[in-house]
Amino acid sequence: MPNDTSPIDEAMIETLDRDGAICLKGAFGPEWVDLAAEGIRRNIESPGALFQSFSPNDKGAFYSDIWSRRHISELETFALESPSAAIAARCLRTPTVRLLQDTWFYKSPGTQARTPWHHDNVVLGPFCSIWVALDPIPREAALEFVRGSHRWNKLFMPANFFEGEQEALPAVEEFYARYHGEFDISASDTFSRVPDIQGHRAEYDILSWDMEPGDCLVFHARTLHGSPGNTLDHDTRRMVTRWVDETAVLAPHGRTVVDRLVAEGFEVDLAVGAPIRGNLFPVLSPLA
């Protein structure tokens, strides 16, 4: 399948560097949308070791899996051959990128769970995510970002993943604790508590976009982001790949994630403070 994407000019990359997130319209053709959707369908039928169902059955389905490209061929093809790597390379200004992670999110109509405000900080250094819409997602249901928050020079960690929400979801809390550890924020010199953005939205410059299938968001990992539940009349599916350059390293608190992956049978050999390497993180040179 073709993997060309429209040029991302320097002005767009500068906007990403300034704001922490951009939206690329029509970056993925229908063939890539269909491939990812089929991969997600098969993944739900054949869950991996990290598959999660986050919502109670009577409140809509909220599913996700991680690194499932290892056993779902459609997701492998999408991660390694779609425009994702080229987009990441352009946005990170490097000819060579490493695929850190593939993941996806599926929310059926009626899913009340809001993905709370957070950022991704297990890796330090150049690190971006590419979030592809597989269904129409209007602005009010889309992923949101606090403009410029990646430049606050802080590492944020919630005391618990659904703190401040009206209802905690035990499956999400358990997943977060298992793969990210538990922290006493008040005693930490490393982390700051995630501010109550949802309770004080007017105080923040919040970015979001109306999205059609094939549109994608590109964002720096440390841009604070979150998304609402699904109040629409159709499923919302998102395919996500996360990318680093060759200088990105495992953060000190990333040891917990590595330990959990090893416990689940993943072949991982990562050292705190060392660059991301190994078979789980393939290197691509899409701009060569």
Side-chain angles (χ1 to χ4, degrees):
M1 283 186 284
N3 65 356
D4 291 338
T5 185
S6 57
I8 303 172
D9 62 23
E10 184 62 23
M12 183 68 75
I13 298 173
E14 289 176 358
T15 299
L16 173 62
D17 289 345
R18 182 192 69 222
D19 294 348
I22 56 174
C23 181
L24 303 178
K25 295 294 187 179
F28 293 77
E31 67 279 3
W32 292 114
V33 171
D34 293 345
L35 185 75
E38 175 60 14
I40 292 172
R41 185 195 68 78
R42 291 213 305 119
N43 198 169
I44 292 172
E45 291 181 351
S46 178
L50 303 181
F51 180 87
Q52 293 290 320
S53 176
F54 291 131
S55 289
N57 291 333
D58 61 344
K59 295 183 179 179
F62 180 8
Y63 300 136
S64 182
D65 208 344
I66 310 174
W67 285 295
S68 47
R69 66 178 179 81
R70 301 191 314 158
H71 73 286
I72 302 294
S73 60
E74 291 88 350
L75 301 183
E76 171 88 347
T77 299
F78 185 95
L80 299 182
E81 300 180 23
S82 79
S84 299
I87 292 172
R90 287 171 179 148
C91 289
L92 293 177
R93 293 188 174 93
T94 177
T96 299
V97 289
R98 281 190 181 265
L99 176 61
L100 182 71
Q101 188 182 80
D102 60 281
T103 187
W104 53 264
F105 301 97
Y106 170 104
K107 290 183 180 180
S108 70
T111 303
Q112 298 180 16
R114 176 183 173 86
T115 304
W117 294 97
H118 68 287
H119 68 181
D120 307 316
N121 58 25
V122 174
V123 171
L124 302 179
F127 175 13
C128 74
S129 295
I130 300 175
W131 188 101
V132 183
L134 306 182
D135 303 285
I137 304 177
R139 185 183 301 256
E140 61 269 20
L143 193 64
E144 299 179 308
F145 304 89
V146 177
R147 190 197 302 263
S149 53
H150 64 307
R151 291 179 169 272
W152 292 354
N153 197 31
K154 290 184 177 181
L155 291 178
F156 290 103
M157 188 70 70
N160 59 69
F161 204 56
F162 272 74
E163 182 183 22
E165 299 295 318
Q166 292 184 353
E167 180 179 13
L169 299 179
V172 179
E173 298 291 1
E174 189 270 342
F175 176 84
Y176 189 82
R178 256 200 308 159
Y179 291 95
H180 296 275
E182 297 181 4
F183 300 91
D184 180 357
I185 303 298
S186 62
S188 174
D189 294 327
T190 303
F191 298 102
S192 299
R193 187 185 299 272
V194 176
D196 182 12
I197 297 164
Q198 197 60 20
H200 301 86
R201 289 177 63 94
E203 298 176 12
Y204 297 91
D205 188 357
I206 295 177
L207 293 170
S208 64
W209 292 267
D210 293 315
M211 301 185 72
E212 294 296 327
D215 295 348
C216 78
L217 302 171
V218 185
F219 56 98
H220 285 295
R222 281 171 293 285
T223 307
L224 286 166
H225 54 281
S227 66
N230 184 3
T231 60
L232 307 174
D233 60 3
H234 63 266
D235 297 336
T236 57
R237 298 164 297 176
R238 297 95 157 175
M239 183 68 204
V240 184
T241 50
R242 295 180 171 131
W243 304 86
V244 297
D245 77 359
E246 292 291 79
T247 69
V249 302
L250 181 68
H253 53 285
R255 187 71 246 171
T256 302
V257 177
V258 173
D259 291 344
R260 290 310 311 172
L261 290 177
V262 171
E264 296 288 1
F266 283 72
E267 215 176 294
V268 183
D269 183 17
L270 293 176
V272 167
I276 308 301
R277 298 291 186 268
N279 293 335
L280 189 60
F281 315 106
V283 61
L284 288 83
S285 300
L287 304 184

